[in-house]
mmCIF file of all heavy atoms in Angstrom:
data_model
loop_
_atom_site.group_PDB
_atom_site.id
_atom_site.type_symbol
_atom_site.label_atom_id
_atom_site.label_comp_id
_atom_site.label_asym_id
_atom_site.label_seq_id
_atom_site.Cartn_x
_atom_site.Cartn_y
_atom_site.Cartn_z
ATOM 1 N N TYR A 43 87.746 120.520 -92.173
ATOM 2 C CA TYR A 43 88.666 120.149 -91.099
ATOM 3 C C TYR A 43 89.959 120.927 -91.301
ATOM 4 O O TYR A 43 90.383 121.258 -92.412
ATOM 5 C CB TYR A 43 88.949 118.685 -91.036
ATOM 6 C CG TYR A 43 87.695 117.868 -90.931
ATOM 7 C CD1 TYR A 43 87.149 117.261 -92.063
ATOM 8 C CD2 TYR A 43 87.125 117.580 -89.680
ATOM 9 C CE1 TYR A 43 85.982 116.491 -91.932
ATOM 10 C CE2 TYR A 43 86.005 116.786 -89.595
ATOM 11 C CZ TYR A 43 85.455 116.256 -90.666
ATOM 12 O OH TYR A 43 84.356 115.472 -90.599
ATOM 13 N N LEU A 44 90.649 121.107 -90.197
ATOM 14 C CA LEU A 44 92.055 121.586 -90.276
ATOM 15 C C LEU A 44 92.834 120.770 -89.310
ATOM 16 O O LEU A 44 92.759 120.951 -88.118
ATOM 17 C CB LEU A 44 92.143 123.116 -89.878
ATOM 18 C CG LEU A 44 93.538 123.707 -90.056
ATOM 19 C CD1 LEU A 44 93.931 123.802 -91.533
ATOM 20 C CD2 LEU A 44 93.623 125.091 -89.389
ATOM 21 N N GLN A 45 93.659 119.863 -89.887
ATOM 22 C CA GLN A 45 94.579 119.045 -89.104
ATOM 23 C C GLN A 45 95.846 119.812 -88.927
ATOM 24 O O GLN A 45 96.525 120.209 -89.856
ATOM 25 C CB GLN A 45 94.858 117.742 -89.764
ATOM 26 C CG GLN A 45 95.867 116.803 -89.094
ATOM 27 C CD GLN A 45 95.292 116.344 -87.768
ATOM 28 O OE1 GLN A 45 94.213 115.859 -87.692
ATOM 29 N NE2 GLN A 45 96.071 116.418 -86.694
ATOM 30 N N MET A 46 96.237 120.132 -87.617
ATOM 31 C CA MET A 46 97.340 120.890 -87.320
ATOM 32 C C MET A 46 98.426 120.053 -86.559
ATOM 33 O O MET A 46 98.120 119.533 -85.502
ATOM 34 C CB MET A 46 97.005 122.102 -86.398
ATOM 35 C CG MET A 46 95.882 122.908 -87.051
ATOM 36 S SD MET A 46 95.551 124.448 -86.089
ATOM 37 C CE MET A 46 94.954 123.708 -84.614
ATOM 38 N N ASN A 47 99.536 119.794 -87.212
ATOM 39 C CA ASN A 47 100.628 119.043 -86.600
ATOM 40 C C ASN A 47 101.863 119.927 -86.359
ATOM 41 O O ASN A 47 101.933 121.009 -86.909
ATOM 42 C CB ASN A 47 101.005 117.898 -87.560
ATOM 43 C CG ASN A 47 99.885 116.920 -87.800
ATOM 44 O OD1 ASN A 47 99.046 116.670 -86.925
ATOM 45 N ND2 ASN A 47 99.860 116.361 -89.043
ATOM 46 N N SER A 48 102.752 119.439 -85.539
ATOM 47 C CA SER A 48 103.977 120.155 -85.280
ATOM 48 C C SER A 48 103.690 121.582 -84.819
ATOM 49 O O SER A 48 104.348 122.542 -85.270
ATOM 50 C CB SER A 48 104.968 120.107 -86.426
ATOM 51 O OG SER A 48 105.261 118.788 -86.822
ATOM 52 N N LEU A 49 102.760 121.738 -83.905
ATOM 53 C CA LEU A 49 102.339 123.048 -83.550
ATOM 54 C C LEU A 49 103.434 123.847 -82.805
ATOM 55 O O LEU A 49 104.230 123.303 -82.078
ATOM 56 C CB LEU A 49 101.089 122.950 -82.653
ATOM 57 C CG LEU A 49 99.778 122.695 -83.395
ATOM 58 C CD1 LEU A 49 98.724 122.165 -82.435
ATOM 59 C CD2 LEU A 49 99.318 123.938 -84.120
ATOM 60 N N LYS A 50 103.447 125.149 -83.050
ATOM 61 C CA LYS A 50 104.392 126.037 -82.492
ATOM 62 C C LYS A 50 103.627 127.073 -81.626
ATOM 63 O O LYS A 50 102.493 127.369 -81.901
ATOM 64 C CB LYS A 50 105.157 126.769 -83.597
ATOM 65 C CG LYS A 50 105.861 125.833 -84.575
ATOM 66 C CD LYS A 50 106.443 126.652 -85.750
ATOM 67 C CE LYS A 50 107.152 125.731 -86.729
ATOM 68 N NZ LYS A 50 107.694 126.537 -87.870
ATOM 69 N N PRO A 51 104.376 127.698 -80.650
ATOM 70 C CA PRO A 51 103.696 128.766 -79.861
ATOM 71 C C PRO A 51 103.105 129.872 -80.723
ATOM 72 O O PRO A 51 102.120 130.472 -80.389
ATOM 73 C CB PRO A 51 104.805 129.266 -78.960
ATOM 74 C CG PRO A 51 105.699 128.090 -78.783
ATOM 75 C CD PRO A 51 105.671 127.349 -80.078
ATOM 76 N N GLU A 52 103.763 130.186 -81.835
ATOM 77 C CA GLU A 52 103.244 131.245 -82.715
ATOM 78 C C GLU A 52 101.979 130.867 -83.452
ATOM 79 O O GLU A 52 101.354 131.738 -84.097
ATOM 80 C CB GLU A 52 104.366 131.697 -83.742
ATOM 81 C CG GLU A 52 104.985 130.556 -84.489
ATOM 82 C CD GLU A 52 106.309 130.112 -83.877
ATOM 83 O OE1 GLU A 52 106.390 129.945 -82.667
ATOM 84 O OE2 GLU A 52 107.261 129.962 -84.661
ATOM 85 N N ASP A 53 101.584 129.603 -83.345
ATOM 86 C CA ASP A 53 100.273 129.221 -83.881
ATOM 87 C C ASP A 53 99.084 129.543 -82.976
ATOM 88 O O ASP A 53 97.917 129.420 -83.319
ATOM 89 C CB ASP A 53 100.192 127.715 -84.138
ATOM 90 C CG ASP A 53 101.210 127.309 -85.231
ATOM 91 O OD1 ASP A 53 101.315 128.002 -86.253
ATOM 92 O OD2 ASP A 53 101.874 126.272 -85.072
ATOM 93 N N THR A 54 99.396 130.040 -81.742
ATOM 94 C CA THR A 54 98.360 130.413 -80.780
ATOM 95 C C THR A 54 97.502 131.546 -81.359
ATOM 96 O O THR A 54 98.014 132.589 -81.726
ATOM 97 C CB THR A 54 99.005 130.849 -79.454
ATOM 98 O OG1 THR A 54 99.683 129.740 -78.884
ATOM 99 C CG2 THR A 54 97.981 131.351 -78.480
ATOM 100 N N ALA A 55 96.202 131.311 -81.402
ATOM 101 C CA ALA A 55 95.262 132.270 -81.969
ATOM 102 C C ALA A 55 93.848 131.745 -81.794
ATOM 103 O O ALA A 55 93.663 130.590 -81.484
ATOM 104 C CB ALA A 55 95.614 132.558 -83.417
ATOM 105 N N VAL A 56 92.907 132.591 -82.085
ATOM 106 C CA VAL A 56 91.556 132.157 -82.352
ATOM 107 C C VAL A 56 91.427 131.807 -83.819
ATOM 108 O O VAL A 56 91.782 132.602 -84.692
ATOM 109 C CB VAL A 56 90.514 133.233 -81.991
ATOM 110 C CG1 VAL A 56 89.097 132.797 -82.395
ATOM 111 C CG2 VAL A 56 90.600 133.584 -80.516
ATOM 112 N N TYR A 57 90.962 130.611 -84.116
ATOM 113 C CA TYR A 57 90.880 130.112 -85.487
ATOM 114 C C TYR A 57 89.429 130.191 -85.916
ATOM 115 O O TYR A 57 88.519 129.751 -85.229
ATOM 116 C CB TYR A 57 91.394 128.699 -85.577
ATOM 117 C CG TYR A 57 92.847 128.590 -85.579
ATOM 118 C CD1 TYR A 57 93.559 128.832 -84.438
ATOM 119 C CD2 TYR A 57 93.582 128.221 -86.739
ATOM 120 C CE1 TYR A 57 94.987 128.798 -84.396
ATOM 121 C CE2 TYR A 57 94.941 128.171 -86.736
ATOM 122 C CZ TYR A 57 95.644 128.470 -85.561
ATOM 123 O OH TYR A 57 97.032 128.406 -85.549
ATOM 124 N N TYR A 58 89.213 130.771 -87.148
ATOM 125 C CA TYR A 58 87.906 130.951 -87.707
ATOM 126 C C TYR A 58 87.806 130.185 -89.047
ATOM 127 O O TYR A 58 88.750 130.183 -89.834
ATOM 128 C CB TYR A 58 87.625 132.439 -88.026
ATOM 129 C CG TYR A 58 87.671 133.328 -86.856
ATOM 130 C CD1 TYR A 58 88.833 133.932 -86.405
ATOM 131 C CD2 TYR A 58 86.457 133.664 -86.124
ATOM 132 C CE1 TYR A 58 88.886 134.760 -85.283
ATOM 133 C CE2 TYR A 58 86.515 134.483 -85.047
ATOM 134 C CZ TYR A 58 87.722 135.054 -84.622
ATOM 135 O OH TYR A 58 87.739 135.891 -83.592
ATOM 136 N N CYS A 59 86.653 129.535 -89.276
ATOM 137 C CA CYS A 59 86.386 129.083 -90.592
ATOM 138 C C CYS A 59 85.502 130.065 -91.284
ATOM 139 O O CYS A 59 84.716 130.827 -90.673
ATOM 140 C CB CYS A 59 85.751 127.650 -90.574
ATOM 141 S SG CYS A 59 84.148 127.529 -89.848
ATOM 142 N N ALA A 60 85.528 130.086 -92.617
ATOM 143 C CA ALA A 60 84.849 130.991 -93.410
ATOM 144 C C ALA A 60 84.463 130.376 -94.775
ATOM 145 O O ALA A 60 85.147 129.511 -95.241
ATOM 146 C CB ALA A 60 85.652 132.236 -93.652
ATOM 147 N N ALA A 61 83.351 130.860 -95.347
ATOM 148 C CA ALA A 61 82.836 130.330 -96.567
ATOM 149 C C ALA A 61 82.861 131.407 -97.657
ATOM 150 O O ALA A 61 82.524 132.607 -97.385
ATOM 151 C CB ALA A 61 81.493 129.763 -96.424
ATOM 152 N N ARG A 62 83.241 131.088 -98.881
ATOM 153 C CA ARG A 62 83.185 132.012 -100.000
ATOM 154 C C ARG A 62 82.443 131.380 -101.164
ATOM 155 O O ARG A 62 82.366 130.207 -101.359
ATOM 156 C CB ARG A 62 84.596 132.331 -100.421
ATOM 157 C CG ARG A 62 85.451 131.117 -100.899
ATOM 158 C CD ARG A 62 86.811 131.471 -101.383
ATOM 159 N NE ARG A 62 87.600 130.324 -101.657
ATOM 160 C CZ ARG A 62 87.625 129.570 -102.723
ATOM 161 N NH1 ARG A 62 86.737 129.889 -103.720
ATOM 162 N NH2 ARG A 62 88.393 128.501 -102.857
ATOM 163 N N THR A 63 81.843 132.295 -101.984
ATOM 164 C CA THR A 63 81.197 131.855 -103.166
ATOM 165 C C THR A 63 82.025 132.253 -104.435
ATOM 166 O O THR A 63 81.776 131.748 -105.512
ATOM 167 C CB THR A 63 79.818 132.484 -103.331
ATOM 168 O OG1 THR A 63 79.919 133.963 -103.278
ATOM 169 C CG2 THR A 63 78.901 132.044 -102.167
ATOM 170 N N GLY A 64 83.006 133.140 -104.219
ATOM 171 C CA GLY A 64 83.874 133.561 -105.291
ATOM 172 C C GLY A 64 84.913 132.539 -105.701
ATOM 173 O O GLY A 64 85.088 131.538 -105.059
ATOM 174 N N ARG A 65 85.646 132.851 -106.745
ATOM 175 C CA ARG A 65 86.688 131.994 -107.232
ATOM 176 C C ARG A 65 88.046 132.242 -106.647
ATOM 177 O O ARG A 65 88.986 131.423 -106.874
ATOM 178 C CB ARG A 65 86.774 132.134 -108.724
ATOM 179 C CG ARG A 65 85.537 131.775 -109.516
ATOM 180 C CD ARG A 65 85.295 130.301 -109.604
ATOM 181 N NE ARG A 65 84.253 129.966 -110.512
ATOM 182 C CZ ARG A 65 83.027 129.517 -110.089
ATOM 183 N NH1 ARG A 65 82.726 129.407 -108.791
ATOM 184 N NH2 ARG A 65 82.053 129.219 -110.962
ATOM 185 N N VAL A 66 88.225 133.326 -105.937
ATOM 186 C CA VAL A 66 89.533 133.744 -105.340
ATOM 187 C C VAL A 66 89.600 133.396 -103.886
ATOM 188 O O VAL A 66 88.632 133.670 -103.142
ATOM 189 C CB VAL A 66 89.768 135.223 -105.654
ATOM 190 C CG1 VAL A 66 91.164 135.612 -105.038
ATOM 191 C CG2 VAL A 66 89.744 135.499 -107.117
ATOM 192 N N ALA A 67 90.682 132.817 -103.424
ATOM 193 C CA ALA A 67 90.901 132.465 -102.066
ATOM 194 C C ALA A 67 91.975 133.261 -101.396
ATOM 195 O O ALA A 67 92.839 133.853 -102.136
ATOM 196 C CB ALA A 67 91.208 131.004 -101.936
ATOM 197 N N GLY A 68 91.944 133.375 -100.061
ATOM 198 C CA GLY A 68 93.067 133.948 -99.349
ATOM 199 C C GLY A 68 92.883 135.299 -98.753
ATOM 200 O O GLY A 68 93.605 135.678 -97.797
ATOM 201 N N LYS A 69 92.023 136.121 -99.243
ATOM 202 C CA LYS A 69 91.764 137.453 -98.785
ATOM 203 C C LYS A 69 90.417 137.466 -97.964
ATOM 204 O O LYS A 69 89.403 137.076 -98.463
ATOM 205 C CB LYS A 69 91.644 138.442 -99.921
ATOM 206 C CG LYS A 69 92.862 138.545 -100.829
ATOM 207 C CD LYS A 69 93.933 139.427 -100.252
ATOM 208 C CE LYS A 69 95.197 139.445 -101.120
ATOM 209 N NZ LYS A 69 94.889 139.858 -102.531
ATOM 210 N N GLU A 70 90.476 137.958 -96.691
ATOM 211 C CA GLU A 70 89.368 137.791 -95.819
ATOM 212 C C GLU A 70 88.078 138.541 -96.361
ATOM 213 O O GLU A 70 86.978 138.095 -96.087
ATOM 214 C CB GLU A 70 89.672 138.242 -94.409
ATOM 215 C CG GLU A 70 89.962 139.646 -94.211
ATOM 216 C CD GLU A 70 90.157 139.981 -92.716
ATOM 217 O OE1 GLU A 70 89.179 140.111 -91.998
ATOM 218 O OE2 GLU A 70 91.368 140.063 -92.288
ATOM 219 N N GLU A 71 88.292 139.599 -97.076
ATOM 220 C CA GLU A 71 87.180 140.355 -97.671
ATOM 221 C C GLU A 71 86.395 139.592 -98.702
ATOM 222 O O GLU A 71 85.317 139.992 -99.052
ATOM 223 C CB GLU A 71 87.651 141.719 -98.160
ATOM 224 C CG GLU A 71 88.533 141.651 -99.332
ATOM 225 C CD GLU A 71 90.002 141.684 -98.967
ATOM 226 O OE1 GLU A 71 90.335 141.286 -97.797
ATOM 227 O OE2 GLU A 71 90.835 142.149 -99.776
ATOM 228 N N LEU A 72 86.921 138.498 -99.182
ATOM 229 C CA LEU A 72 86.271 137.678 -100.230
ATOM 230 C C LEU A 72 85.422 136.557 -99.631
ATOM 231 O O LEU A 72 84.745 135.878 -100.428
ATOM 232 C CB LEU A 72 87.333 137.080 -101.102
ATOM 233 C CG LEU A 72 88.246 138.083 -101.831
ATOM 234 C CD1 LEU A 72 89.281 137.324 -102.710
ATOM 235 C CD2 LEU A 72 87.403 139.023 -102.749
ATOM 236 N N TYR A 73 85.383 136.441 -98.332
ATOM 237 C CA TYR A 73 84.579 135.377 -97.687
ATOM 238 C C TYR A 73 83.252 135.987 -97.146
ATOM 239 O O TYR A 73 83.243 137.070 -96.549
ATOM 240 C CB TYR A 73 85.429 134.695 -96.576
ATOM 241 C CG TYR A 73 86.555 133.939 -97.120
ATOM 242 C CD1 TYR A 73 87.716 134.556 -97.547
ATOM 243 C CD2 TYR A 73 86.506 132.568 -97.209
ATOM 244 C CE1 TYR A 73 88.763 133.869 -98.053
ATOM 245 C CE2 TYR A 73 87.532 131.847 -97.779
ATOM 246 C CZ TYR A 73 88.692 132.515 -98.191
ATOM 247 O OH TYR A 73 89.715 131.778 -98.723
ATOM 248 N N ASP A 74 82.205 135.209 -97.372
ATOM 249 C CA ASP A 74 80.880 135.714 -97.150
ATOM 250 C C ASP A 74 80.344 135.369 -95.787
ATOM 251 O O ASP A 74 79.492 136.106 -95.224
ATOM 252 C CB ASP A 74 79.926 135.180 -98.197
ATOM 253 C CG ASP A 74 80.408 135.554 -99.618
ATOM 254 O OD1 ASP A 74 80.417 136.741 -99.986
ATOM 255 O OD2 ASP A 74 80.761 134.571 -100.365
ATOM 256 N N TYR A 75 80.741 134.311 -95.198
ATOM 257 C CA TYR A 75 80.219 133.738 -93.922
ATOM 258 C C TYR A 75 81.386 133.378 -93.017
ATOM 259 O O TYR A 75 82.341 132.835 -93.469
ATOM 260 C CB TYR A 75 79.248 132.642 -94.119
ATOM 261 C CG TYR A 75 78.090 132.923 -94.985
ATOM 262 C CD1 TYR A 75 78.076 132.594 -96.336
ATOM 263 C CD2 TYR A 75 76.994 133.602 -94.452
ATOM 264 C CE1 TYR A 75 76.996 132.898 -97.118
ATOM 265 C CE2 TYR A 75 75.854 133.872 -95.268
ATOM 266 C CZ TYR A 75 75.910 133.544 -96.575
ATOM 267 O OH TYR A 75 74.842 133.854 -97.366
ATOM 268 N N TRP A 76 81.178 133.624 -91.733
ATOM 269 C CA TRP A 76 82.246 133.334 -90.722
ATOM 270 C C TRP A 76 81.666 132.660 -89.491
ATOM 271 O O TRP A 76 80.555 132.925 -89.086
ATOM 272 C CB TRP A 76 82.878 134.684 -90.245
ATOM 273 C CG TRP A 76 83.687 135.343 -91.345
ATOM 274 C CD1 TRP A 76 83.148 136.133 -92.297
ATOM 275 C CD2 TRP A 76 85.049 135.284 -91.591
ATOM 276 N NE1 TRP A 76 84.161 136.586 -93.144
ATOM 277 C CE2 TRP A 76 85.355 136.099 -92.687
ATOM 278 C CE3 TRP A 76 86.122 134.645 -90.891
ATOM 279 C CZ2 TRP A 76 86.621 136.232 -93.200
ATOM 280 C CZ3 TRP A 76 87.394 134.808 -91.411
ATOM 281 C CH2 TRP A 76 87.634 135.568 -92.517
ATOM 282 N N GLY A 77 82.489 131.761 -88.950
ATOM 283 C CA GLY A 77 82.110 131.136 -87.689
ATOM 284 C C GLY A 77 82.488 131.997 -86.505
ATOM 285 O O GLY A 77 83.078 133.116 -86.647
ATOM 286 N N GLN A 78 82.233 131.486 -85.294
ATOM 287 C CA GLN A 78 82.528 132.303 -84.090
ATOM 288 C C GLN A 78 83.927 132.169 -83.586
ATOM 289 O O GLN A 78 84.345 132.981 -82.739
ATOM 290 C CB GLN A 78 81.516 131.838 -82.985
ATOM 291 C CG GLN A 78 81.925 130.615 -82.200
ATOM 292 C CD GLN A 78 81.891 129.337 -82.947
ATOM 293 O OE1 GLN A 78 81.329 129.193 -84.017
ATOM 294 N NE2 GLN A 78 82.529 128.289 -82.410
ATOM 295 N N GLY A 79 84.671 131.199 -84.052
ATOM 296 C CA GLY A 79 86.024 131.021 -83.700
ATOM 297 C C GLY A 79 86.240 129.997 -82.561
ATOM 298 O O GLY A 79 85.351 129.764 -81.776
ATOM 299 N N THR A 80 87.396 129.356 -82.567
ATOM 300 C CA THR A 80 87.806 128.426 -81.510
ATOM 301 C C THR A 80 89.194 128.717 -81.108
ATOM 302 O O THR A 80 90.054 128.942 -81.983
ATOM 303 C CB THR A 80 87.564 126.981 -81.963
ATOM 304 O OG1 THR A 80 87.860 126.091 -80.865
ATOM 305 C CG2 THR A 80 88.501 126.586 -83.123
ATOM 306 N N GLN A 81 89.468 128.751 -79.803
ATOM 307 C CA GLN A 81 90.801 129.124 -79.297
ATOM 308 C C GLN A 81 91.772 127.964 -79.417
ATOM 309 O O GLN A 81 91.482 126.832 -78.979
ATOM 310 C CB GLN A 81 90.689 129.614 -77.875
ATOM 311 C CG GLN A 81 92.044 129.930 -77.249
ATOM 312 C CD GLN A 81 92.625 131.210 -77.770
ATOM 313 O OE1 GLN A 81 91.953 132.208 -77.884
ATOM 314 N NE2 GLN A 81 93.919 131.173 -78.131
ATOM 315 N N VAL A 82 92.951 128.221 -79.938
ATOM 316 C CA VAL A 82 94.061 127.293 -79.971
ATOM 317 C C VAL A 82 95.230 127.925 -79.224
ATOM 318 O O VAL A 82 95.675 129.006 -79.550
ATOM 319 C CB VAL A 82 94.499 126.886 -81.383
ATOM 320 C CG1 VAL A 82 95.769 126.055 -81.384
ATOM 321 C CG2 VAL A 82 93.400 126.175 -82.114
ATOM 322 N N THR A 83 95.696 127.232 -78.160
ATOM 323 C CA THR A 83 96.827 127.772 -77.396
ATOM 324 C C THR A 83 97.923 126.690 -77.379
ATOM 325 O O THR A 83 97.706 125.553 -77.016
ATOM 326 C CB THR A 83 96.411 128.109 -75.942
ATOM 327 O OG1 THR A 83 95.327 129.032 -75.964
ATOM 328 C CG2 THR A 83 97.588 128.608 -75.218
ATOM 329 N N VAL A 84 99.103 127.107 -77.821
ATOM 330 C CA VAL A 84 100.255 126.199 -77.910
ATOM 331 C C VAL A 84 101.307 126.691 -76.903
ATOM 332 O O VAL A 84 101.786 127.817 -76.974
ATOM 333 C CB VAL A 84 100.870 126.173 -79.307
ATOM 334 C CG1 VAL A 84 102.002 125.129 -79.333
ATOM 335 C CG2 VAL A 84 99.820 125.845 -80.335
#
């Protein structure tokens, strides 16, 4: 889950979840699987 509070217009984007098997987080090239995305508009 991603609970998003105090949303700002700059949060507007397509949000994707992704899965990794490695030990390092934060770099998109380190994630192995991706969802299709869901639109968030503020």
Side-chain angles (χ1 to χ4, degrees):
Y43 305 96
L44 186 69
Q45 178 66 47
M46 305 186 296
N47 298 327
S48 302
L49 283 162
K50 305 174 181 179
E52 50 262 47
D53 295 318
T54 296
V56 176
Y57 283 70
Y58 299 89
C59 66
R62 59 174 172 85
T63 58
R65 300 281 190 255
V66 179
K69 303 277 179 55
E70 67 177 280
E71 63 266 26
L72 301 176
Y73 293 77
D74 304 294
Y75 301 98
W76 293 82
Q78 85 289 346
T80 186
Q81 177 71 47
V82 172
T83 302
V84 184

